[in-house]
Amino acid sequence: MIIRVGCVIFTAMEIKAYEKLAMGLRKRALQVGMSLGMGRAEAEDIAQEVMLRLWQMRNELDERGKTENLAAIMARNMSIDRKRRERTVTLDDRQRDLSSPAKTPAERIEADEEEQWLMRKLEQLPTTQHAILRMRHDEQLSHEDIAKRLGITVSSVSTLLSRARHSLLEEIRRRNRR
């Protein structure tokens, strides 16, 4: 049986083989997304995106082997990317801003510029350092929890966290010298 999707033609066998493989891969991608702190809906979106990308590279999957690991890595990277992009401001943060002493317009602009500069510097950190820094400070996870999530040792977490903090400190020092 031949199935046509757009301008691409697939055999029923090709689709069946992928469907069989996809059940386990989707489950793995969903687990990874949720383990990285994504909500159920976000993890579902990530799993769906992983499945779409794996479908696009289905001809290469047999050659690569370890497809489940590939799905997990893709889900992890997509989750980290989403976490980086989302920048939520809680009501408490807004309340704090409103209750703080009135700032002049110039002071507010300067504070906004400082915050934007710091966010850019955070984004420029290597992916792992950025993720560990966020998990430690934003999610307030312990070194052990971070190590479990990322599949690395606790000492590696400490080292990467230290490097991230040191990098940011150096950037702040450089900026203050100007």
Side-chain angles (χ1 to χ4, degrees), residues 16-173:
K16 293 274 187 215
Y18 181 77
E19 285 176 351
K20 185 177 182 179
L21 178 66
M23 297 304 285
L25 298 178
R26 186 178 183 293
K27 183 179 178 183
R28 180 72 176 128
L30 187 62
Q31 288 172 340
V32 169
M34 291 182 75
S35 74
L36 289 172
M38 306 305 272
R40 178 76 180 186
E42 288 177 304
E44 290 278 353
D45 289 345
I46 287 170
Q48 192 68 27
E49 181 69 24
V50 167
M51 297 314 300
L52 178 63
R53 289 187 184 181
L54 288 173
W55 170 256
Q56 292 170 340
M57 51 191 294
R58 70 194 170 281
N59 295 330
E60 302 165 36
L61 293 179
D62 293 340
E63 299 165 14
R64 290 180 185 235
K66 300 189 181 181
T67 310
E68 188 172 323
N69 288 343
L70 178 61
I73 291 168
M74 291 170 83
R76 178 185 157 274
N77 291 343
M78 287 179 196
S79 297
I80 291 170
D81 287 346
R82 273 200 188 203
K83 286 281 188 184
R84 279 185 172 175
R85 281 193 302 264
E86 82 181 24
R87 185 172 157 237
T88 58
V89 177
T90 64
L91 291 176
D92 292 337
D93 292 340
R94 288 188 186 263
Q95 193 70 20
R96 213 175 300 125
D97 288 344
L98 293 174
S99 64
S100 65
K103 294 180 181 179
T104 66
E107 289 173 331
R108 279 185 287 202
I109 290 171
E110 188 175 330
D112 286 346
E113 287 175 355
E114 290 287 328
E115 184 179 349
Q116 290 172 0
W117 176 85
L118 183 58
M119 294 308 290
R120 279 194 309 274
K121 293 303 173 184
L122 279 169
E123 294 295 327
Q124 292 172 357
L125 286 173
T127 304
T128 309
Q129 288 180 17
H130 184 264
I132 288 173
L133 196 62
R134 290 270 183 188
M135 283 186 244
R136 181 71 184 124
H137 293 282
D138 293 350
E139 298 175 33
Q140 298 179 345
L141 296 176
S142 68
H143 286 67
E144 293 79 15
D145 290 339
I146 295 170
K148 286 178 190 173
R149 280 192 180 182
L150 298 179
I152 59 177
T153 64
V154 175
S155 63
S156 294
V157 170
S158 297
T159 301
L160 290 167
L161 189 57
S162 175
R163 285 181 189 163
R165 288 174 178 162
H166 182 74
S167 295
L168 287 174
L169 180 60
E170 286 301 313
E171 290 294 331
I172 291 168
R173 284 181 180 155

